[in-house]
Amino acid sequence: MVFSHMDIPRLLENILPKERIKAKLIDLVASASDAGFYYLRPQAVVLPVSEEEVKNLFHFSKQYHIPLVFRTAGTSLSGQAVTDGILVDLSQHWRKITIEDAGESVRVQPGAIGAIVNTYLKKYGKKIGPDPASINSAMMGGIISNNSSGMCCGVSKNSYHTIKHIRFMLPYGQLFSTENRADYGRFADECPELFKTLTSLRAQLLSNRQLYNLIRKKYETKNTVGYAVNAFIDYKHPLDILSHLLIGAEGTLGFIAEAVMNTVPDYMAKSTAMLYFPDIYSACQAILPLTQSGAEAVELMDRASLRSVENVKGMPAIIKELPLTAAALLIEYQADTIEEVNKKIAIFTALVPNLQLLNDVQFTVDPVEQALMWKVRKGMFPAVGAVRASGTTVILEDVAFPVQYLGDAILDLQQLFVKYAYHNAIIFGHAKDGNIHFVITQAFDTPTEIDRYDRFIRAVVSLVINKYQGTLKAEHGTGRNMTPFVETEWGPEIYEIMKVVKAIIDPENLLNPGVIINADKAAHISNLKDLPQVEEEVDRCMECGFCEHICPSRDITLTPRKRIVVRREITKLKLQGNTIQHHQLVQQYQYQGLDTCAVDGLCATACPVDINTGDLVKRLRVENHSGTANNVAMFTAKNFGLVSVAVKTALRTGVLLNNVFGPDTMRGITLTLKKIIPAFPLWSNQLAVAPALPKGGQLAGANGVVVYYPACINRVMGEAEKGKKPVMQTFMDVSARAGIRVIFPQNLSSSCCGQIYSSKGFTGAHAYTVNQTISQLWETSAEGKHPIVLDISSCTQTLRNCRSKLTDDNKAKYDALTILDSIEYVQDHIIPKTQVVAKKKNIVLHPVCSLIKMGLENAFSVVAGHYADKVTVPVHAGCCGMAGDRGFLFPELTRSATHLEAKDAKAATCSGYYSSSKTCEIALSDAVGKNYQSILTLVDECTAP
């Protein structure tokens, strides 16, 4: 029976609550893409919270014959996380992580992020075996279902080899765990046909020495093509066989609810070097001896890949000087101690005379220098993505060859690039595993371009399989783009075994159909993603999803990737003349895409091509503003003193009402008003009225003079907790103890850093404000003689980035100013000149977004560590979503953004909570139920006599 789009969501309400069924057009469009180059729009996106709900989804899928696809981070590159059926999103409600056996193993649910798992394991000196480049975003469900590996993982530390136990559900709802011995007998009883088939297939492979040897040989290198048929010869019991078939099955055989993984050492001592060779062939000849010397990482880069990063800031000068045929190997030795590392390097040194090197090799243990070398290696994929033509997609393929053939194979592959006109193609990869990645850029907007890609991929398949007996997918999974060639890689007999496995477990082909097993020999060029030209940020986006884990709105509306995906769809609908859906999507984008974006810009710190989606949203807000709105904004900018008085009066009235009628009076009133006027701000009980400015200039300034520019928020909002000293007075007292004279700018009440106008997209008002402020600070600082200190980090960051909005005269003034954040002020001016009277035992920090963007988060921890024995930064610390007033206007954004960090903070036993931005402190205080204060308060408390 066929159901319309509207029927499926309605019917899903029989098994899931409506709020966890996403069926608006914008929800479906936003989930139609993953990191690959395929596009399928789902009919519904659902968010189950329990195994029982997943079981019901399986039954629903069979009842209505609609496909089901499980998805976590969507960072997979082969099209295995998209569907035109029901997309099951596991990213929000399946995040549990439990460390077991003193870090020897870890229990994870599919929505746990790999890097977060490693963060929990770090204190035990352990990490998970798989280390994909996407680990900061990739979730365990995808890492396991794709049998991920990575740079130092090799073939022995991947998901398949490090799984200890697995808990899974089959498409008919049967649930088993290899941790429960009783399930082995129950599996035979409840799934007799499957039990019998798996037993028979194992016997078949064991009796056929040719197939047995083929499997053994294929898995000597990395291989994620098809199902993990090595399970049949690695394990005896059908339940163990099945549990390992699920690893790398890309969600086509069942649902992995939980896994227990054995961990591997996270070595503390590391030494790194870059080796340059005259050509790729000589570099490949060095791989085997380097591996035998004990190198943990041997990363290969061809000349084209090095050229793609040679102009990036900080790159070694030698890269530009390399000959046209050159290549490089990044090598790293790791061990528990530096002495053990040096023993390995001594073995390497003995090898040097046999290597054709262009440079004198120098190893480094400096983390900064090591990070620079890894930046060279990791920057290649994004470097190509950043310069590709608009409308083209970046395709990152991975193949593997026997190491002894790697040099010849790469030369042949480079010839294919020339033959099929992929002139910007680059090659890099995990050389000691014979695993290389190649990157090409490709448009799919014409039949000619699609045909070119088809002919190229078929030539690659022939090269890899027929000439070099390699593997088509080393670690990215079969997905859709290699499913037509699984039989080519494995041969008809083993491919038939894979088909039998799929057929007996999922006979109706409803679980991620089209992935791994697919009769369509053109599947790799079907359902291709269209990338119309839209705007700068959108056109540069590769839709990799690396930004999503850091976005404060990720659990409530859209992520940066999804905002861009929807922007592309809006353009496509307009070009197609689909006015109904175009209008609908534009309307829905207002709240999900614009209103609930915190424009914090942290997405740029995680983006491989430095896209700041916040800048895009700001520009769209600018376009949405009417002339009247811009005029009102300019009026407030020119009369900011009056605005401050009005806000302060409103606060004073609210506090008075709470005092008279009860502490929740204002919250109740504003909640009621929000129902009538959604844009009305919600009251927070953390709000209070700031006292008047303290007097400055009390000291002669024995240790210098600073200009104190208190943010307008601190000039208006005071401390809600009774007895707490206001931030401005705290600054004065701390400075006095350091013997520093403090002066205030003239006409301070009418001054602002301009952040409120910048974030809302009022460019005229923003420009007016910052020009006024810079002129004012120029005069007060004696033309730049005295440093200027701000007490809110977001305001510091705003002023530091305002130069483009200044007049030429003010640019010259700006360049002479020294603008310090309170963190820098304490670190460089207060700590050296004051004594700590009493340290705190354990404190919790919230590093605000602007600190991270300014590179001051480490300084924040260092400063805090000067005044506390233990400093805790919650694992899930991130943008609180407050974004100035955004959290008052859309409190659901802040609640969603802070709930994980709040859980971490509540679990900590501590003697204080600190940050460096008033509104963020309000958000965290509401979320945690504890009073977050300025870091200046910590300094004051610990230095006061």
Side-chain angles (χ1 to χ4, degrees):
M1 189 173 183
V2 179
F3 290 85
S4 70
H5 160 69
M6 293 304 295
D7 289 322
I8 296 301
R10 178 178 56 81
L11 290 167
L12 281 167
E13 292 178 24
N14 294 322
I15 61 172
L16 290 171
K18 190 172 183 179
E19 63 269 18
R20 286 194 277 109
I21 302 169
K22 294 187 175 183
K24 292 180 180 179
L25 178 60
I26 194 168
D27 300 322
L28 307 183
V29 165
S31 298
S33 298
D34 64 2
F37 49 96
Y38 299 94
Y39 180 99
L40 287 169
R41 188 188 292 183
Q43 296 188 47
V45 180
V46 296
L47 291 83
V49 299
S50 66
E51 291 170 350
E52 185 63 27
E53 288 186 346
V54 173
K55 183 178 180 179
N56 291 338
L57 284 169
F58 275 133
H59 290 162
F60 184 93
S61 171
K62 293 184 181 301
Q63 182 179 359
Y64 298 111
H65 204 75
I66 183 168
L68 209 63
V69 171
F70 295 99
R71 176 166 166 174
T72 48
T75 54
S76 301
L77 293 161
S78 303
Q80 55 266 68
V82 293
T83 181
D84 55 3
I86 298 172
L87 189 67
V88 185
D89 185 347
L90 303 171
S91 65
Q92 289 190 35
H93 302 294
W94 299 80
R95 293 168 168 164
K96 187 176 179 181
I97 303 168
T98 307
I99 308 299
E100 299 182 349
D101 303 323
E104 292 297 318
S105 61
V106 58
R107 187 180 301 270
V108 295
Q109 287 186 323
I113 295 174
I116 298 295
V117 177
N118 282 342
T119 300
Y120 282 111
L121 286 168
K122 192 171 184 65
K123 67 178 180 180
Y124 300 95
K126 298 289 185 178
K127 63 179 181 178
I128 58 173
D131 60 340
S134 58
I135 196 167
N136 287 340
S137 306
M139 297 178 182
M140 295 308 301
I143 288 173
I144 294 169
S145 291
N146 288 308
N147 191 20
S148 295
S149 51
M151 296 182 186
C152 299
C153 182
V155 295
S156 62
K157 299 176 185 176
N158 58 20
S159 299
Y160 179 93
H161 288 292
T162 56
I163 286 285
K164 182 179 181 181
H165 297 297
I166 191 169
R167 181 180 176 89
F168 63 91
M169 185 181 294
L170 295 175
Y172 282 91
Q174 306 99 323
L175 185 67
F176 300 100
S177 172
T178 59
E179 193 172 16
N180 186 351
R181 297 310 304 174
D183 281 10
Y184 284 78
R186 190 166 61 83
F187 180 58
D189 294 336
E190 295 184 10
C191 303
E193 287 301 314
L194 178 55
F195 186 96
K196 180 180 177 181
T197 300
L198 294 175
T199 302
S200 174
L201 292 175
R202 170 176 160 78
Q204 178 184 337
L205 288 172
L206 291 178
S207 65
N208 188 324
R209 183 53 54 178
Q210 184 179 359
L211 295 184
Y212 180 95
N213 290 338
L214 174 63
I215 292 171
R216 279 283 177 246
K217 182 176 177 58
K218 294 290 280 185
Y219 287 106
E220 288 176 358
T221 58
K222 290 182 178 181
N223 191 328
T224 58
V225 177
Y227 293 124
V229 288
N230 51 334
F232 286 107
I233 58 179
D234 289 341
Y235 298 94
K236 294 181 180 180
H237 196 283
L239 186 62
D240 288 324
I241 294 171
L242 178 57
S243 67
H244 286 81
L245 282 169
L246 285 165
I247 302 166
E250 301 170 38
T252 62
L253 299 179
F255 165 63
I256 298 174
E258 182 181 82
V260 180
M261 302 188 74
N262 291 316
T263 59
V264 302
D266 183 14
Y267 295 115
M268 299 299 294
K270 300 175 183 178
S271 190
T272 315
M274 191 76 80
L275 282 58
Y276 298 101
F277 296 84
D279 54 66
I280 196 85
Y281 194 84
S282 58
C284 289
Q285 297 310 300
I287 294 168
L288 190 57
L290 288 172
T291 302
Q292 292 172 343
S293 73
E296 193 76 13
V298 182
E299 294 292 306
L300 175 70
M301 293 155 275
D302 73 350
R303 185 65 184 95
S305 63
L306 291 169
R307 192 176 299 112
S308 73
V309 297
E310 65 183 18
N311 292 315
V312 175
K313 184 179 179 180
M315 291 297 108
I318 189 175
I319 295 180
K320 287 187 177 182
E321 301 166 2
L322 293 172
L324 294 176
T325 58
L329 292 176
L330 186 157
I331 63 171
E332 187 166 275
Y333 291 96
Q334 302 178 3
D336 290 321
T337 66
I338 195 63
E339 289 76 18
E340 293 175 89
V341 168
N342 288 335
K343 288 179 182 178
K344 295 180 180 181
I345 293 177
I347 299 173
F348 163 80
T349 304
L351 296 172
V352 169
N354 301 318
L355 303 180
Q356 300 180 45
L357 291 168
L358 294 176
N359 65 315
D360 294 327
V361 180
Q362 294 186 343
F363 283 88
T364 181
V365 296
D366 183 343
V368 175
E369 293 178 3
Q370 290 175 330
L372 179 60
M373 291 183 189
W374 281 107
K375 183 179 181 181
V376 175
R377 162 61 182 85
K378 293 179 179 180
M380 290 166 179
F381 173 43
V384 173
V387 299
R388 76 189 192 283
S390 293
T392 63
T393 189
V394 180
I395 298 175
L396 175 62
E397 280 297 348
D398 72 311
V399 295
F401 302 97
V403 175
Q404 64 269 29
Y405 303 137
L406 188 58
D408 293 315
I410 289 175
L411 292 176
D412 285 347
L413 186 57
Q414 289 175 332
Q415 289 302 310
L416 290 182
F417 295 155
V418 174
K419 180 178 179 180
Y420 292 99
Y422 291 103
H423 301 300
N424 295 321
I426 66 171
I427 293 174
F428 57 89
H430 318 311
K432 73 173 187 175
D433 301 313
N435 173 201
I436 61 167
H437 303 298
F438 63 86
V439 180
I440 60 174
T441 59
Q442 171 76 50
F444 292 117
D445 55 350
T446 66
T448 301
E449 279 294 281
I450 294 172
D451 178 67
R452 176 171 72 115
Y453 176 73
D454 182 32
R455 289 183 291 112
F456 169 70
I457 285 298
R458 292 183 186 277
V460 169
V461 169
S462 179
L463 175 70
V464 173
I465 300 301
N466 299 330
K467 186 170 184 178
Y468 291 107
Q469 293 77 53
T471 184
L472 296 170
K473 281 291 185 179
E475 54 185 8
H476 292 173
T478 307
R480 297 177 184 277
N481 56 338
M482 282 299 165
T483 186
F485 311 110
V486 176
E487 184 174 6
T488 307
E489 166 128 355
W490 281 102
E493 292 175 285
I494 291 181
Y495 185 60
E496 184 61 32
I497 288 173
M498 294 180 183
K499 289 168 64 179
V500 169
V501 169
K502 173 67 172 175
I504 193 164
I505 294 175
D506 182 24
E508 297 176 69
N509 194 28
L510 293 173
L511 201 50
N512 212 354
V515 171
I516 296 186
I517 304 297
N518 194 333
D520 182 4
K521 296 306 179 184
H524 62 301
I525 51 173
S526 303
N527 303 305
L528 295 169
K529 186 186 293 182
D530 185 19
L531 298 176
Q533 295 185 32
V534 184
E535 52 224 339
E536 179 191 355
E537 296 89 349
V538 173
D539 293 347
R540 282 166 51 212
C541 178
M542 300 180 292
E543 298 183 7
C544 64
F546 285 14
C547 58
E548 294 195 321
H549 74 285
I550 209 168
C551 178
S553 60
R554 64 190 179 277
D555 288 345
I556 185 170
T557 52
L558 299 179
T559 62
R561 169 169 66 173
K562 290 180 177 179
R563 285 183 169 89
I564 286 175
V565 167
V566 175
R567 288 291 296 169
R568 283 180 168 142
E569 188 71 11
I570 288 172
T571 299
K572 283 163 58 179
L573 292 172
K574 185 175 182 179
L575 292 173
Q576 293 166 1
N578 190 337
T579 55
I580 295 175
Q581 286 197 351
H582 177 265
H583 178 72
Q584 186 180 1
L585 206 53
V586 169
Q587 292 295 108
Q588 293 173 354
Y589 196 74
Q590 180 62 45
Y591 173 74
Q592 294 210 35
L594 303 183
D595 291 346
T596 53
C597 178
V599 297
D600 57 280
L602 285 186
C603 46
T605 66
C607 176
V609 292
D610 299 320
I611 298 172
N612 186 336
T613 313
D615 288 343
L616 167 64
V617 169
K618 287 180 185 178
R619 193 169 68 250
L620 294 176
R621 287 175 181 171
V622 169
E623 294 172 3
N624 285 350
H625 291 323
S626 65
T628 301
N630 282 315
N631 290 336
V632 170
M634 184 61 78
F635 176 82
T636 62
K638 292 181 176 180
N639 297 274
F640 197 79
L642 295 176
V643 173
S644 298
V645 171
V647 172
K648 211 167 185 178
T649 301
L651 284 175
R652 189 173 287 111
T653 302
V655 171
L656 178 63
L657 288 172
N658 272 356
N659 289 337
V660 174
F661 298 105
D664 292 323
T665 301
M666 278 300 297
R667 191 165 184 86
I669 291 172
T670 54
L671 272 172
T672 301
L673 287 172
K674 275 193 76 65
K675 293 176 183 178
I676 304 168
I677 310 170
F680 198 87
L682 181 68
W683 178 271
S684 167
N685 286 337
Q686 302 298 323
L687 293 172
V689 184
L693 284 175
K695 293 183 179 180
Q698 302 100 321
L699 297 174
N703 287 325
V705 179
V706 298
V707 175
Y708 176 30
Y709 183 61
C712 58
I713 296 173
N714 280 333
R715 301 197 304 263
V716 171
M717 296 181 184
E719 299 299 314
E721 187 176 346
K722 290 183 179 180
K724 286 293 180 181
K725 190 187 299 183
V727 172
M728 292 184 292
Q729 187 61 56
T730 300
F731 184 95
M732 299 297 294
D733 292 347
V734 166
S735 299
R737 282 183 212 121
I740 297 172
R741 182 187 174 203
V742 177
I743 55 179
F744 289 101
Q746 296 291 325
N747 302 315
L748 183 59
S749 62
S750 61
S751 177
C752 173
C753 72
Q755 181 189 4
I756 187 171
Y757 301 113
S758 172
S759 64
K760 291 180 180 298
F762 292 111
T763 54
H766 177 220
Y768 172 84
T769 301
V770 293
N771 274 283
Q772 293 294 109
T773 299
I774 293 301
S775 288
Q776 194 175 10
L777 292 175
W778 164 258
E779 294 177 8
T780 309
S781 66
E783 300 182 351
K785 179 181 178 182
H786 307 310
I788 300 153
V789 186
L790 286 85
D791 53 14
I792 285 185
S793 296
S794 57
C795 298
T796 311
Q797 201 252 345
T798 298
L799 276 188
R800 282 184 173 178
N801 288 277
C802 74
R803 193 179 189 278
S804 63
K805 303 296 181 184
L806 300 176
T807 63
D808 289 341
D809 182 46
N810 277 333
K811 283 178 181 176
K813 294 177 180 178
Y814 171 87
D815 292 340
L817 299 179
T818 300
I819 299 173
L820 299 177
D821 187 67
S822 59
I823 304 299
E824 297 165 302
Y825 178 58
V826 172
Q827 185 175 40
D828 298 335
H829 296 267
I830 301 299
I831 287 178
K833 299 165 187 172
T834 56
Q835 295 294 318
V836 176
V837 176
K839 272 192 171 187
K840 299 280 185 177
K841 289 184 178 180
N842 182 14
I843 63 173
V844 171
L845 298 184
H846 171 71
V848 300
C849 309
S850 45
L851 280 182
I852 297 170
K853 288 186 285 187
M854 291 188 291
L856 293 178
E857 69 271 33
N858 184 60
F860 187 38
S861 295
V862 169
V863 166
H866 186 74
Y867 299 103
D869 294 323
K870 182 179 179 182
V871 176
T872 299
V873 177
V875 172
H876 293 96
C879 177
C880 67
M882 199 65 175
D885 64 353
R886 190 87 356 199
F888 296 120
L889 299 172
F890 304 99
E892 66 275 20
L893 171 62
T894 302
R895 283 196 301 270
S896 178
T898 58
H899 78 281
L900 289 176
E901 181 178 354
K903 185 178 179 181
D904 291 343
K906 288 175 182 177
T909 302
C910 65
S911 49
Y913 300 79
Y914 302 94
S915 189
S916 61
S917 175
K918 180 65 179 178
T919 53
C920 298
E921 290 156 23
I922 290 173
L924 269 297
S925 296
D926 279 337
V928 179
K930 300 290 184 179
N931 186 31
Y932 275 74
Q933 302 171 84
S934 168
I935 190 71
L936 291 166
T937 302
L938 172 67
V939 180
D940 185 45
E941 292 171 340
C942 295
T943 58

